[in-house]
Amino acid sequence: MSRGRVDERLLATIGERLTARDELGAALAASLRDTGRPGTATMKQVRRALREGVDAVPEAPRALRDFFAAVETVPDWVDFDLVEEGARVSRRFGRNTADVMLQLALIGSYRFDGPPRLLVGTGGLVGGSALRRIAETQHWATAVTAPGALRRDGEGFRLTVHVRLMHALVNHRFEHSGGWDTGRFGLPVNRSDLAATLGLFNAVQLLGVRLLGVRVTRAESRAVMHLWKYVGHLLGVDEDWLFDHEWQQHRLNYHLLLTQSYGGTAGPPLAGALVEAQRQLHFTHFARVRRAYARARLLSMLRYFLGRRGLRDLGLPPALPWAVPPLMVANLLRYRILGRTEAGRAHLQRRGERFIDRHLRRHFHEHTPDVAPFDV
């Protein structure tokens, strides 16, 4: 089949998986919520299993053992050398990745209906919680790219498994609350939306940094895809939707977009909350000016990625993409000239890692826990 044609069979599969859940996560979530009965799991057991492995949990319940057996078994296709290379490439992208993930992936996805309603329902990105939830997401996304992070004892592994269980707990809560329209949106956290989320972190990230002038080689693309393929496995994404090549993910993303509805009421307040959250960023000097600049820059970048109509759909004020041309010039020099040499790549690596430390940890330091609480 041509890559550009619509695959009706794939669309049908996406539709079927809108009402399918992560069954291992669902079983553990149900066990955790069914408190007081013999043989049910506890949060204390989950935390110990995360730290030490499920074998360290005396008389571990079946749901807990099955869940951790799945995440602790490394598939034969995993190449940890390639995972590490994907992590190095991601760190080398530096601020470009942070820009793409916030502007194109996260805020851009608020133009669709369904998942944004779930965030509103959990209080996830409104009011004072906006910066905390951004910080949690960015903390996780950067943790998985740290050296050795996805080994069993790594922080990236633990946080990813934690995220999978959080998804299951949210799904359990909304499925049993009676307030979610499954017929219209599918399950609150379903297997199609989960694959779509993974697509934001691999293929959309690669597309976005290219749009900002970053040179991405075929080998770099392959490494980033492999990193997120393993992360997707840990998150419970269906194996047939874990891809080695970028074009495969783009093809799935295209079909996922065809199933989306636009113009929901939940997206604009979420987008507005993230824009206004820039006023709460932590700066030591000239804080007011730098916060105002961060907000204006975010709107400018959103104008470039989403266009005038995208800003209007999200209820955001009009802006010009003034921040993009100087960024693209800098990226062309850094990644297409300097980045062609080994010394240049090492410099970009250090520069990207300094950004992670300075921006993602200092600006959000008051809002980022070591592990987000199970607060759903």
Side-chain angles (χ1 to χ4, degrees):
M1 185 198 108
S2 170
R3 297 179 192 174
R5 295 179 182 174
V6 174
D7 185 338
E8 297 296 338
R9 184 178 300 176
L10 178 55
L11 285 179
T13 301
I14 291 171
E16 292 168 0
R17 294 183 187 180
L18 283 169
T19 55
R21 63 178 65 79
D22 167 19
E23 294 296 346
L24 290 173
L28 180 53
S31 182
L32 288 166
R33 291 308 189 209
D34 193 12
T35 57
R37 295 184 59 184
T40 56
T42 66
M43 290 300 182
K44 182 178 179 180
Q45 291 174 321
V46 170
R47 293 187 179 98
R48 183 166 183 179
L50 273 174
R51 291 192 311 269
E52 305 173 39
V54 72
D55 289 339
V57 180
E59 300 181 356
R62 173 70 180 273
L64 183 70
R65 190 167 293 280
D66 289 348
F67 180 85
F68 275 91
V71 298
E72 290 180 341
T73 300
V74 180
D76 293 339
W77 49 260
V78 174
D79 179 346
F80 277 109
D81 289 338
L82 195 56
V83 168
E84 291 298 319
E85 176 60 20
R88 282 191 293 272
V89 172
S90 295
R91 297 197 301 274
R92 194 154 61 235
F93 291 158
R95 184 171 193 169
N96 297 290
T97 291
D99 281 339
V100 169
M101 296 316 302
L102 175 60
Q103 298 148 13
L104 179 58
L106 184 59
I107 298 179
S109 70
Y110 293 160
R111 298 179 69 189
F112 308 125
D113 207 356
R117 293 174 182 262
L118 192 63
L119 285 172
V120 170
T122 61
L125 285 171
V126 265
S129 69
L131 203 59
R132 180 175 69 87
R133 288 302 176 98
I134 299 172
E136 290 171 358
T137 301
Q138 292 190 330
H139 178 58
W140 167 69
T142 56
V144 301
T145 67
L150 290 174
R151 297 285 186 173
R152 176 58 184 88
D153 59 348
E155 182 187 28
F157 176 92
R158 293 193 301 272
L159 287 177
T160 302
V161 175
H162 177 273
V163 168
R164 180 172 179 174
L165 183 52
M166 284 291 293
H167 287 161
L169 289 167
V170 168
N171 210 35
H172 185 274
R173 170 186 166 186
F174 278 82
E175 273 194 88
H176 292 81
S177 69
W180 183 259
D181 190 347
T182 302
R184 181 179 178 186
F185 301 116
L187 291 176
V189 182
N190 58 72
R191 285 156 56 187
S192 288
D193 286 347
L194 189 59
T197 300
L198 179 65
L200 298 177
F201 286 94
N202 55 21
V204 170
Q205 176 193 171
L206 292 167
L207 173 64
V209 297
R210 287 192 184 97
L211 290 173
L212 295 178
V214 174
R215 175 177 178 263
V216 182
T217 67
R218 185 173 299 180
E220 289 171 335
S221 169
R222 176 75 175 84
V224 170
M225 290 298 296
H226 194 72
L227 163 73
W228 287 101
K229 181 179 180 180
Y230 183 45
V231 173
H233 164 77
L234 295 175
L235 288 172
V237 176
D238 289 302
E239 290 290 321
D240 60 335
W241 283 354
L242 297 175
F243 301 118
D244 295 307
H245 302 289
E246 192 180 340
W247 71 265
Q248 296 171 306
Q249 184 71 60
H250 284 310
R251 178 176 175 272
L252 176 61
N253 287 352
Y254 171 69
H255 285 80
L256 287 163
L257 284 173
L258 293 178
T259 69
Q260 295 292 326
S261 59
Y262 290 78
T265 58
L270 291 174
L274 293 187
V275 169
E276 293 310 310
Q278 305 307 300
R279 301 184 190 276
Q280 303 173 42
L281 292 176
H282 173 77
F283 293 102
T284 304
H285 304 292
F286 308 106
R288 182 178 297 181
V289 172
R290 294 172 74 179
R291 288 169 182 159
Y293 174 81
R295 180 181 180 278
R297 181 182 183 276
L298 174 56
L299 287 170
S300 174
M301 300 288 287
L302 287 171
R303 172 64 171 81
Y304 174 67
F305 281 126
L306 307 182
R308 184 181 295 109
R309 180 178 177 180
L311 291 180
R312 186 170 61 249
D313 289 347
L314 291 172
L316 297 174
L320 294 174
W322 53 266
V324 178
L327 178 59
M328 291 189 70
V329 170
N331 281 336
L332 288 170
L333 292 173
R334 291 170 185 149
Y335 293 92
R336 296 183 181 270
I337 298 176
L338 185 63
R340 290 179 180 272
T341 67
E342 185 174 347
R345 287 190 294 273
H347 168 75
L348 291 172
Q349 192 83 43
R350 292 191 297 271
R351 189 176 186 278
E353 289 168 355
R354 284 197 303 271
F355 169 79
I356 291 172
D357 177 67
R358 182 180 65 251
H359 181 77
L360 300 183
R361 299 196 188 283
R362 292 184 185 174
H363 288 194
F364 298 109
H365 74 294
E366 295 177 353
H367 306 273
T368 307
D370 292 333
V371 175
F374 292 102
D375 57 357
V376 295

